[in-house]
Amino acid sequence: MFLKNKDFFAKPARVGPKAPGDQPDRVPEENHTAEPDGQKTETATMVQLRVQDEQLQRDMAFLDACSRETGRPEMHKQLSELRDYLKNARFTVAVVGEFNRGKSTLVNKLLGQDVIPVSALPSTLLPIRVEGGHRDELIWKKPGGETHYPLKPETWDTLEEEIGWDGKAKGELVLRQTLPVLQQNELALLDTPGTNSQVKGDLSMAEEALSGCDCAILTIAAVAPVSESELRFLQEGILTKKVPRILVVLTKLDLLSEKERELVIRNVQARLDSLQEGLPLYLSQSGLVPGWEEKAGPKAIWDQLTAWLRESDHTYLKCQRAHGLLSEMAEELRGLYACQLEVLEEKKEARREKVEEKKRQLLGNSHIQWDQLEIEMLNRCNQNFTWIREMTEERQQDVIEKLTLELSHTNNPKDWWEKDYPYRMKMEMIALGNALESNLQSFYTRDLGWLNHVLQEKYKAIVPPQNQRMADKGVFRGARSQAELSLEDMHNTRLISRVGTGVVTVAGYLLFGMMGLSPLGMAVGIGGGIVSELFMNRRVEEQRARLGQTIRTELPGVFSRCVETVEKNVRETYRDAIGNMQKACQNWANAQCEAMEKARQQGEDPTKAQAIRQKVEKLAAMIQD
Amino acid sequence: MISIQEFLKNVNTGHVVRSSVPMGLGKSLPMLDIADDRLLVTLFFYRSILRPEDKTLLMPPEIIASFEYPGARLVTFETLALSRRFTGVDFRKPAGLFRHEAIRHLDREAYMAEKERYYEKLNALIAYLGGGEAFTQQDEDELARLFTMLAEPGLYPYYRAACPQFCERFLRK
Ligand SMILES: Nc1nc2c(ncn2[C@@H]2O[C@H](COP(=O)(O)OP(=O)(O)OP(=O)(O)O)[C@@H](O)[C@H]2O)c(=O)[nH]1
Ligand SMILES: [Mg+2]
């Protein structure tokens, strides 16, 4: 929601507990909104921003020094990334998604010109940043420096060869264009390699792009809408990265029939809604689906982007995001220094003891919290088991009913048992496996998201997701063990018995015929035939009953063996996450202990304590409430 | 724009509450906050223990969460038992009684009606923040009166911790 009166809380309360003599300050506020010349306030905020900016730079330099002193190299890295992010004054829109989803095509459409090559094969190998410039140029910026290329169609081919397909190439391509849309708007479009293309390391490219952008566009192709991995990328790659603005664009709708289009849109919308993030959905092409005019086509998307671009000063947003990050770092560093200080303030003899005690305390406290996290994770894991049990029990009942019904209609149970039954079971089990897998993956993603949220806050750590399948098809394919049953093939038996009947009939005819009683002989034969047919039917019934019984007793075993395997996998996956969590936490604790140890060694110097005290104060001032 | 009542309904049935808030926790009164130029609704979740004779106990909150308005996107989520700023709290001890002095005279219906009035005032404030009609001094006083009356004194510290700016403005003794 766009806030017009966003300073509401910034102004002092008009009447409050401590405001007996307060002047009602409605007046200046009305003055403010009624000011005819908005220019003045704007420049005022700009100036304030500059000042804030310098302060920000100083804070960052200070934190950097502290991080080096306390041995936290990852903070140094975070800070330099943050610096890049702040330096970039342009509103950066990253287009992300799996490969062949029409990302490059969308960038071209947004620009109204084909500036990036498009192909049906994985084609974008490095992120391509398209921005406004005085002339058209193409630059490959990589860690060692930058190379300029002439902007000709062949260039892309040579570049492709140079970059290679092994995923080892680093950096990004900068494509400067004289396009008016880019020059008029302080905006850059960042095309990224598909997150799932064959080349390794792409995920990190897209993720890196996301941590340095102000807006993300996720492209999803209507021909393969919202896969599990897309959903997961949306959650873990984009939402947890706190990208300020997110937009989802559905591409390739033209490849579907009119009826399918609406169906797919509804489906995608439902999946997005289920995330409860209020993500806006747009269509890449206009004029395809009635009712979507306002949210279809490059113009509509462009309007939304520029609205965001203008809605609030994005450099301000950037500073806010940076302040949040710095405050978190300051808080952590302050904790480290405060520990050191406590140690320093002890007498020399007591110092060692103090350090040991502090370490014990720290580890003790941390262990309690880790245990809590572990318990919560295991609880969540166990909830999955309940769900698995309920779901498979229901499914099992269904399958038994379906199969016994089928059995009751077959004339040759043996044949059915040997040929149809295994096939039916295989299909049922694969379907069950798929249903389990997709649900379990989304539960796991949710639970890991929760864990990472807590870890990030407390220990600045993240547990990477495990790409582990829990209900793999293998589990279910091997699972259709079938009881060894020796059954009589009723088809053969029936044949033999028919031949037998024929023989008896003929024999009876001959025998009784010799006695001059041939009709009687035939009657005996036919009578025998009827009796044997009746007998046969009874046998079929018996076989059916026997098989039905077997299915009812065997199936639950098959299901529960599968469930056991799945549960084992689920437990392992969660255990892995817990193990990684413990490792991350242990690293954190080690860093803290090292810092204390360092302080103990430095304790000889009296000026040291004073210096640290000052740092603690300075850091405290940087922490936002 | 949806009303705060609808918004709360969305939060309640939403993915965050369903997946991350244990069953059986109650919601605090919603409070408004502005961060990053975004309007946030902050709430906390706590357990209450029903006891006879109107002695329902309130336990310390377990979770503080804020959601962006109107989309209900989760913005902050704090598990109090794991949070450094609440290390002094014994989460097994009740924080107070539901029935407090200010609402002693209200029966269930009347209480719900006051709560509804509170929501309506929040709606008015939200409209003002978005650039709509003025939020007058009377409106402000009425919102403060309702909030101060309905919020349970035992939970005041948590209201303040969850949303300092809002309480500074509207929690009056
Ligand atoms: N029919 C149709 N084809 C499309 C659409 N968008 C993209 N394509 C085609 O899909 C193929 C892939 O498009 P790209 O834009 O290269 O896809 P990408 O996501 O950039 O792919 P990578 O760079 O490999 O990750 C190309 O052949 C495009 O012509 C669309 O909306 N409709
Ligand atoms: Mg591409």
Tab-separated table of all heavy atoms in Angstrom, chain A residues 3 9, chain B residues 31-35 38-42 66 129 162-166:
chain	number	residue	atom	x	y	z
A	3	LEU	N	1.862	4.728	1.094
A	3	LEU	CA	1.565	5.511	2.288
A	3	LEU	C	1.819	6.986	2.032
A	3	LEU	O	2.926	7.393	1.723
A	3	LEU	CB	2.444	5.039	3.443
A	3	LEU	CG	2.159	3.628	3.928
A	3	LEU	CD1	3.097	3.268	5.029
A	3	LEU	CD2	0.731	3.513	4.380
A	9	PHE	N	3.981	8.099	12.781
A	9	PHE	CA	4.589	7.708	14.051
A	9	PHE	C	5.850	8.495	14.357
A	9	PHE	O	6.318	8.522	15.477
A	9	PHE	CB	4.906	6.216	14.051
A	9	PHE	CG	3.677	5.382	14.143
A	9	PHE	CD1	3.291	4.579	13.087
A	9	PHE	CD2	2.893	5.403	15.275
A	9	PHE	CE1	2.151	3.818	13.161
A	9	PHE	CE2	1.744	4.636	15.354
A	9	PHE	CZ	1.373	3.847	14.297
B	31	MET	N	-1.734	-4.124	16.179
B	31	MET	CA	-1.190	-2.762	16.264
B	31	MET	C	-0.608	-2.400	14.900
B	31	MET	O	-0.229	-3.268	14.134
B	31	MET	CB	-0.080	-2.715	17.319
B	31	MET	CG	-0.597	-2.955	18.707
B	31	MET	SD	0.743	-3.197	19.885
B	31	MET	CE	1.169	-4.892	19.605
B	32	LEU	N	-0.509	-1.125	14.633
B	32	LEU	CA	0.018	-0.697	13.346
B	32	LEU	C	1.436	-0.159	13.505
B	32	LEU	O	1.784	0.387	14.539
B	32	LEU	CB	-0.842	0.421	12.741
B	32	LEU	CG	-2.307	0.103	12.525
B	32	LEU	CD1	-2.984	1.276	11.842
B	32	LEU	CD2	-2.458	-1.150	11.667
B	33	ASP	N	2.197	-0.341	12.468
B	33	ASP	CA	3.574	0.122	12.502
B	33	ASP	C	3.958	0.504	11.074
B	33	ASP	O	3.364	0.001	10.122
B	33	ASP	CB	4.475	-1.027	12.985
B	33	ASP	CG	5.745	-0.492	13.598
B	33	ASP	OD1	5.986	0.728	13.488
B	33	ASP	OD2	6.500	-1.298	14.170
B	34	ILE	N	4.930	1.384	10.949
B	34	ILE	CA	5.402	1.728	9.605
B	34	ILE	C	6.901	1.499	9.553
B	34	ILE	O	7.632	1.975	10.421
B	34	ILE	CB	5.103	3.202	9.272
B	34	ILE	CG1	3.593	3.411	9.170
B	34	ILE	CG2	5.758	3.599	7.950
B	34	ILE	CD1	3.183	4.845	8.993
B	35	ALA	N	7.331	0.707	8.598
B	35	ALA	CA	8.766	0.493	8.440
B	35	ALA	C	9.045	0.397	6.964
B	35	ALA	O	8.254	-0.205	6.225
B	35	ALA	CB	9.189	-0.793	9.138
B	38	ARG	N	6.413	0.899	4.591
B	38	ARG	CA	5.345	-0.073	4.434
B	38	ARG	C	4.515	-0.115	5.703
B	38	ARG	O	5.042	0.070	6.791
B	38	ARG	CB	5.930	-1.451	4.139
B	38	ARG	CG	6.532	-1.516	2.760
B	38	ARG	CD	7.072	-2.870	2.470
B	38	ARG	NE	8.146	-3.215	3.380
B	38	ARG	CZ	8.771	-4.378	3.362
B	38	ARG	NH1	8.395	-5.300	2.524
B	38	ARG	NH2	9.758	-4.606	4.181
B	39	LEU	N	3.244	-0.350	5.518
B	39	LEU	CA	2.373	-0.427	6.671
B	39	LEU	C	2.368	-1.871	7.180
B	39	LEU	O	2.113	-2.799	6.436
B	39	LEU	CB	0.963	0.000	6.279
B	39	LEU	CG	-0.061	-0.045	7.401
B	39	LEU	CD1	0.376	0.830	8.560
B	39	LEU	CD2	-1.413	0.407	6.884
B	40	LEU	N	2.652	-2.010	8.461
B	40	LEU	CA	2.701	-3.344	9.034
B	40	LEU	C	1.646	-3.485	10.131
B	40	LEU	O	1.337	-2.517	10.815
B	40	LEU	CB	4.072	-3.607	9.659
B	40	LEU	CG	5.293	-3.374	8.784
B	40	LEU	CD1	6.545	-3.725	9.565
B	40	LEU	CD2	5.199	-4.223	7.534
B	41	VAL	N	1.129	-4.672	10.245
B	41	VAL	CA	0.250	-4.977	11.366
B	41	VAL	C	1.005	-5.966	12.249
B	41	VAL	O	1.439	-7.010	11.785
B	41	VAL	CB	-1.076	-5.590	10.879
B	41	VAL	CG1	-1.922	-6.010	12.056
B	41	VAL	CG2	-1.807	-4.593	10.005
B	42	THR	N	1.168	-5.578	13.514
B	42	THR	CA	1.942	-6.431	14.420
B	42	THR	C	1.017	-7.055	15.454
B	42	THR	O	0.122	-6.395	15.971
B	42	THR	CB	3.017	-5.588	15.121
B	42	THR	OG1	3.856	-5.021	14.132
B	42	THR	CG2	3.838	-6.437	16.065
B	66	SER	N	4.897	-9.641	12.526
B	66	SER	CA	4.232	-8.544	11.844
B	66	SER	C	4.071	-8.877	10.369
B	66	SER	O	4.891	-9.575	9.777
B	66	SER	CB	4.963	-7.222	12.049
B	66	SER	OG	6.290	-7.370	11.696
B	129	LEU	N	-3.588	7.018	6.829
B	129	LEU	CA	-2.189	6.793	6.450
B	129	LEU	C	-2.049	6.668	4.939
B	129	LEU	O	-1.067	7.091	4.360
B	129	LEU	CB	-1.653	5.523	7.120
B	129	LEU	CG	-1.523	5.612	8.646
B	129	LEU	CD1	-1.129	4.264	9.220
B	129	LEU	CD2	-0.519	6.679	9.055
B	162	ALA	N	6.493	-5.334	21.350
B	162	ALA	CA	6.145	-5.718	19.981
B	162	ALA	C	6.041	-4.495	19.076
B	162	ALA	O	6.400	-4.545	17.908
B	162	ALA	CB	4.827	-6.487	19.973
B	163	CYS	N	5.537	-3.410	19.615
B	163	CYS	CA	5.256	-2.271	18.741
B	163	CYS	C	5.410	-0.967	19.515
B	163	CYS	O	4.426	-0.325	19.872
B	163	CYS	CB	3.842	-2.429	18.212
B	163	CYS	SG	3.577	-1.620	16.662
B	164	PRO	N	6.660	-0.577	19.779
B	164	PRO	CA	6.918	0.556	20.679
B	164	PRO	C	6.241	1.858	20.229
B	164	PRO	O	5.623	2.542	21.039
B	164	PRO	CB	8.435	0.705	20.655
B	164	PRO	CG	8.966	-0.316	19.744
B	164	PRO	CD	7.867	-1.194	19.274
B	165	GLN	N	6.330	2.148	18.935
B	165	GLN	CA	5.783	3.422	18.462
B	165	GLN	C	4.284	3.518	18.694
B	165	GLN	O	3.776	4.526	19.148
B	165	GLN	CB	6.046	3.555	16.960
B	165	GLN	CG	7.490	3.797	16.644
B	165	GLN	CD	7.668	4.039	15.158
B	165	GLN	OE1	6.921	3.516	14.338
B	165	GLN	NE2	8.653	4.842	14.820
B	166	PHE	N	3.619	2.445	18.385
B	166	PHE	CA	2.171	2.439	18.515
B	166	PHE	C	1.770	2.623	19.981
B	166	PHE	O	0.870	3.388	20.304
B	166	PHE	CB	1.626	1.114	17.967
B	166	PHE	CG	0.131	1.043	17.908
B	166	PHE	CD1	-0.561	1.538	16.809
B	166	PHE	CD2	-0.596	0.483	18.948
B	166	PHE	CE1	-1.942	1.473	16.747
B	166	PHE	CE2	-1.974	0.412	18.895
B	166	PHE	CZ	-2.648	0.912	17.787
